[in-house]
Coordinates of all heavy atoms in Angstrom, one line a residue:
G1 N 128.9 65.5 90.2 CA 130.2 65.2 89.7 C 131.1 66.2 90.3 O 130.8 67.1 91.0
T2 N 132.4 66.0 90.1 CA 133.5 66.7 90.6 C 133.3 68.1 90.2 O 133.3 68.5 88.9 CB 134.8 66.3 90.2 OG1 135.0 64.9 90.6 CG2 136.0 67.1 90.8
G3 N 133.1 69.1 91.1 CA 133.0 70.6 90.8 C 131.5 70.9 90.5 O 131.3 72.1 90.2
A4 N 130.6 70.0 90.3 CA 129.2 70.2 90.1 C 128.5 70.6 91.4 O 129.1 70.8 92.5 CB 128.5 69.1 89.4
T5 N 127.2 71.0 91.4 CA 126.5 71.4 92.6 C 126.6 70.3 93.7 O 126.8 70.6 94.8 CB 125.0 71.5 92.2 OG1 124.8 72.5 91.2 CG2 124.1 72.0 93.4
V6 N 126.4 69.0 93.3 CA 126.7 68.0 94.3 C 128.1 67.4 94.0 O 128.4 66.7 93.0 CB 125.7 66.7 94.0 CG1 126.0 65.7 95.2 CG2 124.3 67.2 94.2
N7 N 129.0 68.0 94.7 CA 130.5 67.9 94.5 C 131.0 66.6 95.0 O 131.6 66.6 95.9 CB 131.2 69.1 95.0 CG 132.6 69.2 94.5 OD1 133.1 68.6 93.6 ND2 133.4 70.1 95.2
V8 N 130.9 65.7 94.1 CA 131.5 64.4 94.5 C 131.8 63.6 93.3 O 131.2 63.9 92.2 CB 130.5 63.4 95.4 CG1 129.3 63.1 94.5 CG2 131.1 62.3 96.0
A9 N 132.8 62.6 93.1 CA 133.1 61.9 92.0 C 131.7 61.4 91.4 O 131.0 60.6 92.1 CB 134.0 60.8 92.3
R10 N 131.5 61.7 90.0 CA 130.3 61.2 89.4 C 130.1 59.7 89.6 O 130.9 58.9 89.2 CB 130.4 61.5 88.0 CG 129.2 61.1 87.1 CD 129.5 61.2 85.6 NE 128.6 60.6 84.8 CZ 128.7 59.3 84.4 NH1 129.7 58.5 84.9 NH2 127.9 58.6 83.7
P11 N 129.0 59.3 90.1 CA 128.6 57.9 90.2 C 128.3 57.4 88.8 O 127.6 58.1 88.1 CB 127.4 57.8 91.1 CG 127.4 59.0 92.0 CD 128.0 60.0 91.0
D12 N 128.8 56.2 88.4 CA 128.6 55.6 87.1 C 127.3 55.0 87.0 O 126.9 54.6 85.9 CB 129.8 54.7 86.8 CG 131.0 55.3 86.6 OD1 131.0 56.5 86.1 OD2 132.0 54.8 87.0
G13 N 126.6 54.8 88.2 CA 125.3 54.2 88.1 C 124.6 54.3 89.4 O 125.4 54.7 90.5
P14 N 123.3 54.0 89.6 CA 122.7 54.1 90.9 C 123.2 53.1 92.1 O 123.2 53.6 93.2 CB 121.2 53.6 90.6 CG 121.2 53.9 89.1 CD 122.4 53.7 88.5
S15 N 123.9 52.1 91.7 CA 124.4 51.3 92.7 C 125.6 51.8 93.4 O 125.9 51.4 94.5 CB 124.8 49.8 92.0 OG 125.9 50.1 91.2
Q16 N 126.1 52.8 92.8 CA 127.4 53.5 93.5 C 126.9 54.5 94.5 O 127.8 55.1 95.2 CB 128.2 54.1 92.4 CG 129.0 53.1 91.6 CD 130.0 53.7 90.6 OE1 130.1 55.0 90.5 NE2 130.7 52.9 89.9
I17 N 125.6 54.8 94.6 CA 125.2 55.8 95.5 C 124.6 55.1 96.8 O 123.8 54.1 96.7 CB 124.0 56.6 95.0 CG1 124.5 57.5 93.9 CG2 123.4 57.4 96.2 CD1 123.4 58.3 93.2
L18 N 125.3 55.2 97.9 CA 124.8 54.6 99.1 C 123.5 55.0 99.6 O 122.6 54.2 100.0 CB 125.9 54.7 100.2 CG 127.3 54.0 99.8 CD1 128.2 54.4 101.0 CD2 127.2 52.6 99.6
R19 N 123.4 56.3 99.6 CA 122.1 56.9 100.1 C 122.0 58.5 99.8 O 123.2 59.1 99.7 CB 121.9 56.8 101.5 CG 122.9 57.3 102.6 CD 122.8 56.6 103.9 NE 123.9 57.0 104.8 CZ 125.0 56.6 104.9 NH1 125.3 55.6 104.0 NH2 125.9 57.0 105.6
V20 N 120.9 58.9 99.7 CA 120.7 60.4 99.6 C 119.7 60.7 100.6 O 118.6 60.0 100.9 CB 120.0 60.7 98.1 CG1 119.8 62.1 98.1 CG2 121.1 60.4 97.1
S21 N 119.9 61.9 101.3 CA 119.1 62.4 102.3 C 118.9 63.8 102.3 O 119.7 64.4 101.7 CB 119.6 61.9 103.7 OG 120.9 62.4 104.0
V22 N 118.0 64.3 103.2 CA 117.8 65.8 103.3 C 117.7 66.1 104.8 O 117.2 65.3 105.6 CB 116.5 66.3 102.5 CG1 116.7 66.2 101.1 CG2 115.2 65.7 103.0
R23 N 117.9 67.4 105.1 CA 117.8 67.9 106.5 C 117.3 69.2 106.4 O 117.7 70.0 105.4 CB 119.0 67.7 107.3 CG 120.2 68.4 106.8 CD 121.5 67.8 107.4 NE 121.7 68.0 108.8 CZ 122.2 69.2 109.4 NH1 122.8 70.1 108.6 NH2 122.2 69.1 110.6
D24 N 116.4 69.7 107.3 CA 115.9 71.2 107.3 C 116.8 71.9 108.2 O 116.7 71.7 109.5 CB 114.5 71.0 107.8 CG 113.7 72.4 107.6 OD1 114.5 73.3 107.3 OD2 112.5 72.3 107.5
T25 N 117.5 72.7 107.7 CA 118.5 73.5 108.5 C 117.7 74.7 109.4 O 118.4 75.2 110.2 CB 119.6 74.2 107.6 OG1 118.9 75.1 106.6 CG2 120.4 73.2 106.8
A26 N 116.5 74.9 109.1 CA 115.7 75.9 109.8 C 115.4 75.3 111.2 O 115.0 76.0 112.1 CB 114.5 76.2 109.2

């Protein structure tokens, strides 16, 4: 949500999320 750890407008449902991914910065 806005200002939360994942700082983006809170999705109202799973369909509003296009994708979630991870990358290893090491």
Side-chain angles (χ1 to χ4, degrees):
T2 303
T5 301
V6 186
N7 189 12
V8 67
R10 172 190 169 276
D12 293 322
S15 64
Q16 291 185 359
I17 297 177
L18 297 177
R19 58 193 175 278
V20 176
S21 60
V22 295
R23 58 199 297 267
D24 192 339
T25 60

